[in-house]
């Protein structure tokens, strides 16, 4: 009698491949009959015929399982999620080694990404702390001729008035300029970073004082009330946060000024922005006085010394504003051809202006850290796939007991989300530490550095990365873990071998990609290092050793008036440099208005006597510096021809000037410049000066900028109140600072040196951005390389462990340990080689965006590419050698017995 039976309905998954399970049961029944002595052919035929109507049984099983699954899902509800979570925690706690490796790898990748994003968010993405900052824009003069078509320059006072009155798309326009003051009297003088601003500036920005009031139009008139606003930090530091300070007077550069208000915490406009033509503000401005214009300033269209900010009206666009500014510039060129021909006006969003100096570098870091995150994720994926391979029999048994593929997938996604959340939480600690480390490395003039902190954007970005990583890891692992049927998973054999090959191929692909990405980062870091080394080898044009610098500002008062105060300024600096030069251990002392490599520069036009005067649009310009004392000896600037300034160059003597080698090369090629005469446009009144000497070129703005033509005028003939003192010593220059302060106090106890540092530090500060970029990218490259090689080691070690039986057979058949070593090394180096090839190709494309950050080196420098590739290959060899060496020690008998 034919006997039929059904599959157990305890398995509730209607998507289960029922045919595979039927085949598995038929195989088991046939083996039972063969064990009783029945021939194989008869046993298989009897098992098949006794099974019954196979199609009907398949349909019935699917229907039963579908009903069972729906009922079970309704019963589980949220209880199933809780069970998954508890099981995930137990599983990860049980495999503590795997969990620690995965969490630490994720924490490193997520933490590094969050740290860099914190800096990028603070500098580039976070809104400026003003009302509706998207409608704020900076307004600049655009120059042509030698200035270059893209150059930005400040506005003159009359041009600012014209822009303010002519614009219809701007709700308001305000001007400001740097105007440092010395706060305090003889007891405690301190130079304060300050600015003079239009009364309309703070309402334009939408900022209100914490205490007191803002400037009024009545405050901004010549001879008006002497008033000031102070910053919150200055209020706390110097006045102990006393509310009584509002309405009281303080001493600013020798004058009594009334404090009318205290600005709110965090306000520091302008915020360390790098502005054109030497308008450089410190990171935090702490004091403001009202800006007004004298009749002489309102007539001087050639004096460009004002920065301007405007607010667009609601509905107005920047394109509309630019059109109006262009029309205004064209009208000014027609009315004032001598000063305005060839000059334009242009508006730039305030956010773009503030972030411009570091935008490209920060975006480069963001791309680099994305590579690190990808490598970390690839490593974790490899760990998860390797773990899933060891749990294959567990998944098969759970399937045989009734677990659906979706149920297993949900469990794996839960485990990996838990893993990712743990990595994300630890990553936030890494991000907090990493962002602080980055802030210690960033250049001192990084714009908006005080805005850098972990805020909701960073938290949301980190949470998104964490959750997405967990879900992707879980789905990828679930797809690999549940691809095979129950029978195939339990039987093993060739099916397992085929599946192992597929998984190994995926892991190897990811490792090759990791090597490629790490090589690209390593090449980028190498290019920056090469560029930095070339910059360090450049001569700045002076000797930075054994020299001290210190800024000094003399009292200016309400207006800049060299006619009445100039003689006093010149006499003061002459006396100071003479007394400093007489100190024991001092070789020479001098002073200059624009210290090299600080970016401070003042430019003006000129014409050479006896030559046709060019039109204003083509008029040449030159960098001017005012010097006092033995400045050239103190700096170590070499005299090429003629003489330097001395006591003969008094105010009532013949007007003289020194020029640089680059000036002679451009304007006196093949002839001597000594004795030539030029009309200087930098003097307060146009003055014809005689060239008495030629000195060596000096890098004025930065080491990577070319030599610009420059000239020097003596302080005695062109008085200037703000100079940087330079003292050259026989020993450590910092030891002379106390004596220098005593000499300054002996002349005027109300003055104080500011920003004292050695010339070596000045040179180092000028390279701060390049050094920062190099260190950060090198750190990312080293991290990525370590992660990639850990991944390579893991894949080779896992593959070697899975091939123990093969290795044992090879040794049993006569293979030498050296043959096994070569076999494993060939596999590892093959993966590394593939990664190196694709990494080189990728670097050829990606490093081109770095060209603007490089100096003296090509973005495709062969030496850097070759050195990086060799380094990766050598480290890959070391990572592969350890598992290869271990494989040579496999005993064939032990390996076969373990299988």
């Amino acid at each position: 009698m034919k006997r039929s039976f059904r599959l157990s309905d305890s398995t509730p998954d209607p998507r289960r491949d029922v045919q595979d399970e039927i085949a598995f049961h038929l195989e088991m029944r046939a083996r039972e009959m063969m064990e009783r002595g029945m021939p194989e052919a008869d046993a298989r035929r009897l098992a098949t015929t006794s099974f019954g109507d196979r199609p009907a049984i398949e349909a019935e099983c699917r229907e039963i399982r579908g009903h069972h699954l729906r009922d079970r899902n309704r019963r589980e509800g949220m209880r199933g999620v809780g069970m998954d979570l508890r099981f995930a925690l137990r599983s990860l706690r049980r495999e503590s080694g795997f969990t620690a490796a995965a969490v630490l790898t994720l924490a490193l990748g997520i933490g590094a990404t969050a740290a860099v994003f914190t800096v990028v968010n603070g500098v580039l993405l976070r809104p400026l702390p003003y009302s509706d900052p998207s409608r704020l824009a900076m307004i600049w003069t655009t120059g042509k001729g030698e200035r270059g078509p893209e150059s930005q320059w400040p506005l003159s006072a009359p041009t600012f008035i014209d822009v303010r009155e002519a614009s219809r798309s701007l709700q308001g326009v305000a001007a400001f300029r740097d105007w440092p003051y010395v706060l305090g009297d003889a007891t405690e003088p301190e130079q304060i970073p300050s600015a003079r601003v239009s009364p309309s500036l703070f309402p334009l920005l939408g900022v209100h004082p914490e205490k007191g009031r803002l400037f009024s139009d009545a405050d901004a008139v010549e001879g008006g009330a002497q008033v000031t606003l102070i910053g919150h930090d200055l209020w706390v530091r110097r006045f102990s946060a006393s509310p009584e300070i509002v309405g009281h007077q303080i001493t600013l550069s020798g004058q009594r000024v009334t404090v009318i208000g205290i600005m709110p915490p965090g306000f520091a406009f302008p915020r360390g922005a790098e502005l054109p033509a030497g308008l450089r503000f410190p990171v935090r401005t702490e004091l403001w006085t009202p800006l007004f214009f004298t009749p002489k300033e309102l007539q001087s269209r050639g004096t460009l010394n004002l920065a301007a900010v405007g607010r667009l009206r609601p509905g107005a666009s920047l394109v509309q504003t630019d059109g109006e500014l262009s029309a205004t510039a064209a009208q000014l060129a027609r009315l004032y051809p001598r000063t305005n021909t060839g000059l334009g006006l242009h508006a730039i969003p305030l956010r773009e202006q503030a972030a411009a100096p570091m935008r490209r570098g920060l975006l480069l870091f963001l791309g680099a850290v994305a590579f690190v995150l990808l490598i970390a994720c690839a490593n974790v994926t490899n760990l998860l796939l390797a773990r899933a391979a060891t749990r294959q029999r567990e998944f098969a048994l759970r399937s045989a007991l009734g677990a659906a593929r979706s149920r297993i997938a949900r469990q794996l996604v839960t485990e990996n989300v838990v893993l990712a959340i743990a990595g994300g939480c630890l990553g936030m600690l890494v991000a907090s530490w990493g962002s602080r480390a980055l802030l210690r490395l960033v250049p001192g003039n990084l714009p908006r550095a005080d805005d850098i902190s972990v805020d909701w954007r960073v938290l949301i970005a980190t949470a998104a990365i964490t959750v997405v990583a967990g879900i992707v890891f879980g789905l990828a692992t679930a797809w690999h873990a549940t691809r095979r049927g129950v029978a195939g998973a339990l039987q093993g054999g060739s099916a397992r071998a085929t599946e192992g090959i597929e998984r190994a191929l995926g892991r190897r692909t990811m490792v090759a990609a990791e090597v490629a990405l790490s090589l690209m980062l390593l090449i980028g870091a190498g290019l920056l290092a090469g560029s930095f080394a070339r910059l360090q080898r450049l001569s700045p044009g002076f000797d930075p050793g054994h020299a001290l610098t210190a800024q000094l500002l003399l009292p200016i008062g309400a207006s800049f008036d060299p006619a009445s105060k100039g003689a006093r300024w010149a006499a003061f600096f002459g006396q100071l440099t003479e007394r400093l030069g007489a100190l024991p251990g001092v070789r020479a002392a001098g002073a200059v208005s624009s210290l090299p490599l600080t970016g401070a520069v003042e430019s003006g036009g000129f014409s050479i006597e006896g030559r046709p005067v060019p039109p204003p649009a083509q008029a040449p310009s030159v960098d001017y510096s005012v010097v006092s004392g033995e400045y050239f000896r103190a700096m170590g600037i070499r005299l090429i021809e003629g003489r330097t300034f001395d006591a003969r160059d008094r105010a009532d003597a013949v007007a003289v000037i020194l020029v640089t080698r680059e000036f002679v090369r451009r304007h006196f090629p093949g002839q001597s410049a000594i004795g030539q005469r030029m009309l200087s446009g930098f003097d307060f009144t146009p003055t014809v000066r005689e060239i008495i000497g030629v000195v060596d070129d000096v890098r004025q703005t930065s080491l990577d900028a070319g030599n610009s033509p420059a000239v020097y005028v003596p302080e005695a003939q062109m008085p200037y109140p703000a100079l940087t003192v330079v003292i050259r010593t026989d020993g450590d220059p910092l030891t002379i600072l106390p004596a220098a302060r005593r000499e300054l106090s002996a002349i005027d106890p109300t003055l104080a040196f500011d920003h004292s540092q050695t010339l070596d530090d000045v040179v180092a500060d000028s390279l701060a951005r390049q050094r920062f970029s190099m260190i950060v990218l090198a750190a990312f490259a080293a991290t990525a390389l370590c992660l990639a090689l850990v991944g390579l080691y893991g894949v080779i070690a896992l593959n070697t462990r899975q091939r123990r039986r093969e290795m044992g057979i090879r040794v049993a058949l006569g293979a030498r340990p050296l043959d096994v070593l070569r076999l494993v090394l060939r596999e590892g180096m093959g993966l590394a080689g593939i990664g190196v090839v694709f990494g080189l190709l990728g670097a050829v494309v990606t490093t081109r965006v770095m060209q603007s950050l490089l100096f003296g080196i090509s973005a495709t420098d062969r030496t850097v590419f070759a050195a990086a590739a060799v380094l990766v290959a050598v480290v890959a060899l070391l990572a592969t050698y350890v598992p290869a060496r271990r494989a040579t020690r496999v005993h064939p008998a032990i390996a076969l017995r373990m299988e």
Side-chain angles (χ1 to χ4, degrees):
M1 180 178 179
K2 182 185 293 185
R3 189 180 75 167
S4 64
F5 65 93
R6 293 178 181 168
L7 294 174
S8 169
D9 62 0
S10 62
T11 306
D13 187 1
R15 293 165 294 180
R16 174 79 48 203
D17 190 346
V18 178
Q19 293 180 349
D20 284 351
E21 193 167 351
I22 289 174
F24 176 72
H25 279 270
L26 292 177
E27 178 69 22
M28 295 297 101
R29 185 169 179 78
R31 289 188 180 183
E32 289 177 3
M33 290 186 285
M34 284 189 289
E35 290 176 357
R36 297 172 184 171
M38 184 178 294
E40 180 179 354
D42 294 340
R44 294 189 182 279
R45 185 173 58 257
L46 181 58
T48 303
T49 56
S50 63
F51 190 78
D53 187 354
R54 182 166 177 170
I57 292 173
E58 290 178 6
E60 186 177 358
C61 285
R62 292 193 179 97
E63 184 178 357
I64 292 172
R65 291 176 175 179
H67 286 299
H68 195 167
L69 177 61
R70 287 190 292 271
D71 293 340
R72 182 172 176 179
N73 285 342
R74 281 194 296 268
R75 290 194 307 269
E76 285 188 351
M78 291 303 296
R79 185 169 61 89
V81 176
M83 292 172 58
D84 288 342
L85 184 60
R86 288 192 297 273
F87 183 83
L89 293 173
R90 287 197 303 269
S91 175
L92 295 176
R93 186 171 60 248
R94 184 170 58 249
E95 301 179 61
S96 57
F98 157 80
T99 303
V103 168
L104 289 175
T105 302
L106 272 177
L108 184 60
I110 293 175
T113 304
V116 173
F117 183 72
T118 297
V119 178
V120 172
N121 174 59
V123 177
L124 301 183
L125 303 180
R126 179 180 288 182
L128 295 168
Y130 314 122
S131 174
D132 198 2
S134 61
R135 291 166 48 207
L136 294 173
M138 299 292 297
I139 301 172
W140 301 110
T141 300
T142 55
K144 294 184 178 180
E146 284 198 3
R147 294 169 177 170
E150 301 300 327
S151 298
Q152 296 176 6
W153 295 82
L155 276 63
S156 65
T159 299
F160 164 71
I161 301 296
D162 294 333
V163 169
R164 186 178 63 185
E165 295 178 350
S167 178
R168 297 293 176 265
S169 63
L170 293 175
Q171 184 175 320
V173 184
F176 58 93
R177 63 162 303 178
D178 58 319
W179 197 276
Y181 290 96
V182 175
L183 172 63
D185 49 22
T187 57
E188 202 175 357
E190 178 186 359
Q191 187 166 317
I192 304 297
S194 315
R196 296 182 66 184
V197 302
S198 299
S200 60
L201 176 66
F202 302 120
L204 192 75
L205 298 175
V207 178
H208 305 282
E210 181 179 0
K211 295 181 182 299
R213 67 173 179 89
L214 296 175
F215 298 133
S216 66
D217 291 337
D219 296 324
V221 294
E222 189 173 9
Q226 300 296 309
V227 295
T228 185
L229 290 166
I230 62 175
H232 179 86
D233 291 347
L234 179 63
W235 176 50
V236 173
R237 186 178 73 251
R238 287 296 299 260
F239 305 106
S240 304
S242 171
E244 288 79 17
I245 190 63
V246 177
H248 283 65
Q249 290 188 329
I250 60 175
T251 302
L252 291 182
S253 297
Q255 288 189 326
R256 300 295 291 175
V257 179
T258 302
V259 177
I260 62 170
I262 300 167
M263 299 306 290
F267 179 79
F269 186 89
R271 306 170 68 83
E274 187 170 292
L275 307 178
L279 289 175
R280 297 172 64 88
F281 288 86
V283 174
R284 299 195 64 83
T285 306
E286 294 190 291
L287 188 145
W288 300 265
T289 57
L291 174 68
F292 62 88
F293 304 121
T294 63
K296 183 177 181 180
E297 288 174 321
L298 291 175
Q299 298 297 320
S300 179
R301 291 189 173 272
T303 303
L304 309 180
N305 59 4
L306 291 177
V309 60
R311 177 177 288 277
L312 275 67
R313 294 185 184 276
S317 68
L318 201 63
V319 175
Q320 181 181 351
T321 301
D322 262 340
E324 293 177 354
L325 291 174
S326 297
T328 301
Q331 183 180 9
L332 293 177
R334 289 192 300 269
L335 295 174
Y336 310 101
R338 190 181 67 84
T339 56
N340 286 74
T341 299
L343 298 182
L345 293 168
H346 178 53
I348 299 176
L350 183 59
R351 171 183 286 180
E352 181 179 329
Q353 184 78 51
M358 290 294 291
R359 177 183 297 274
R360 186 178 295 272
L362 291 177
L363 293 179
L364 172 67
F365 298 152
L366 200 59
V369 80
F371 281 8
V372 174
L373 181 61
L374 287 174
I375 294 173
C377 289
N379 259 359
V380 174
T381 302
N382 272 337
L383 286 172
L384 292 171
L385 292 179
R387 179 172 180 256
T390 62
R391 300 174 64 187
Q392 192 62 54
R393 191 169 184 84
E394 171 198 336
F395 299 144
L397 289 173
R398 294 180 67 183
S399 297
L401 293 174
R405 290 186 67 182
S406 61
R407 185 68 182 80
I408 297 175
R410 191 178 75 181
Q411 176 62 54
L412 289 173
V413 169
T414 302
E415 290 181 14
N416 289 289
V417 167
V418 170
L419 199 66
I421 290 175
C425 292
L426 185 58
M428 284 306 300
L429 296 178
V430 175
S432 177
W433 173 85
S435 59
R436 289 197 296 270
L438 282 176
L439 286 177
R440 285 194 293 269
L441 291 173
V442 295
N445 59 349
L446 177 70
R448 304 187 64 194
D450 50 340
D451 285 342
I452 297 174
S453 63
V454 177
D455 66 358
W456 62 269
R457 293 177 184 83
V458 179
L459 294 175
I460 289 177
T462 305
I465 292 173
T466 299
V467 173
V468 170
I471 293 175
V472 171
F473 292 155
L475 292 177
T477 309
W479 183 77
H480 278 278
T482 60
R483 287 171 59 192
R484 300 173 56 198
V486 178
L490 293 175
Q491 288 176 9
S494 62
R496 183 178 64 186
T498 302
E499 187 73 9
I501 292 173
E502 293 176 359
R503 285 201 179 94
L505 181 60
R507 290 195 294 267
R508 292 172 185 174
T509 301
M510 282 187 285
V511 167
E514 291 178 39
V515 173
L517 292 174
S518 63
L519 177 60
M520 292 164 64
L521 285 179
L522 198 61
I523 289 174
L527 291 174
L528 289 180
S531 175
F532 187 75
R534 285 165 172 79
L535 281 174
Q536 285 188 308
R537 288 198 294 268
L538 282 179
S539 170
F542 57 86
D543 179 11
H546 301 289
L548 177 72
T549 69
Q551 298 175 7
L552 182 61
L553 172 69
L554 300 185
I556 300 175
S559 63
F560 186 85
D561 188 11
S564 60
K565 307 172 186 176
R568 188 164 66 251
W569 295 344
F572 176 89
F573 279 110
Q575 182 184 5
L576 177 63
T577 55
E578 183 178 353
R579 294 183 67 148
L580 293 177
L583 289 173
V586 174
R587 297 183 188 177
V592 66
S593 59
S594 300
L595 188 68
L597 293 183
T598 61
V601 60
E602 295 189 76
S603 302
F606 70 95
S607 60
I608 297 174
E609 192 175 66
R611 298 183 185 180
V613 178
Q618 285 80 40
S621 64
V622 67
D623 295 338
Y624 283 86
S625 293
V626 178
V627 300
S628 178
E630 296 184 303
Y631 168 72
F632 299 100
R633 279 190 60 204
M635 286 291 293
I637 299 175
R638 190 162 58 97
L639 177 66
I640 305 297
E641 186 181 5
R643 69 173 179 88
T644 58
F645 303 130
D646 55 29
R648 290 171 287 179
D649 304 312
R650 301 181 305 275
D652 56 351
V654 175
V656 294
I657 197 168
L658 286 172
V659 300
T660 61
R661 186 200 297 266
E662 181 66 18
F663 183 93
V664 174
R665 188 187 68 81
R666 293 193 187 188
H667 302 288
F668 298 99
Q671 58 180 306
S672 174
I674 303 298
Q676 300 285 346
R677 293 163 61 85
M678 57 183 285
L679 178 65
S680 167
F682 184 67
D683 293 75
F684 303 114
T685 57
T687 304
V688 176
R689 294 183 174 276
E690 179 182 341
I691 299 175
I692 62 170
V694 180
V695 295
D696 207 356
D697 294 317
V698 172
R699 306 272 177 167
Q700 187 66 35
T701 55
S702 63
L703 282 173
D704 54 356
N707 291 320
S708 299
V711 298
Y712 301 89
V713 294
E715 167 83 1
Q717 296 183 353
M718 188 179 173
Y720 204 77
L723 299 185
T724 299
V725 175
V726 183
I727 307 172
R728 180 161 296 278
T729 65
D730 292 323
D732 183 1
L734 290 176
T735 59
I736 206 68
L737 184 58
R741 286 173 173 160
R742 287 194 297 270
E743 294 298 326
L744 175 62
S745 181
I747 301 174
D748 190 337
T750 66
L751 298 179
F753 287 127
D754 183 57
H755 204 60
S756 303
Q757 62 180 152
T758 67
L759 263 183
D760 284 322
D761 290 336
V762 171
V763 175
D765 289 346
S766 72
L767 295 172
R769 286 185 182 170
Q770 293 88 338
R771 185 184 300 106
F772 173 65
S773 300
M774 178 190 67
I775 292 174
V776 173
L777 196 59
F780 289 157
T783 302
L785 184 60
C786 290
L787 288 174
L789 296 175
V790 166
L792 176 62
Y793 168 83
V795 165
I796 298 302
L798 176 62
N799 189 51
T800 303
R801 190 161 56 248
Q802 291 175 339
R803 296 171 63 186
R804 282 177 298 183
R805 186 170 184 272
E806 174 194 339
M807 299 297 181
I809 293 175
R810 287 178 179 273
V811 174
L813 293 176
R816 298 172 300 170
L818 184 59
D819 298 327
V820 176
L821 183 68
R822 288 174 179 170
L823 177 68
V824 179
L825 288 178
R826 186 162 53 245
E827 178 184 7
M829 295 308 294
L831 288 178
I834 294 172
V836 166
V837 170
F838 282 97
L840 291 174
L841 294 176
V844 170
V845 177
T846 56
T847 54
R848 295 186 184 277
V849 303
M850 299 176 55
Q851 189 62 62
S852 63
L853 301 175
L854 303 178
F855 175 82
I857 188 171
S858 168
T860 55
D861 185 81
R862 295 181 180 179
T863 303
V864 172
F865 274 59
V870 170
L871 176 60
V872 169
V874 169
V875 181
L877 179 63
L878 295 176
T880 308
Y881 179 79
V882 176
R885 183 68 177 172
R886 189 180 297 124
T888 62
R889 299 171 181 171
V890 174
H891 195 281
I894 297 176
L896 294 176
R897 189 183 310 125
M898 291 177 66
E899 291 294 328

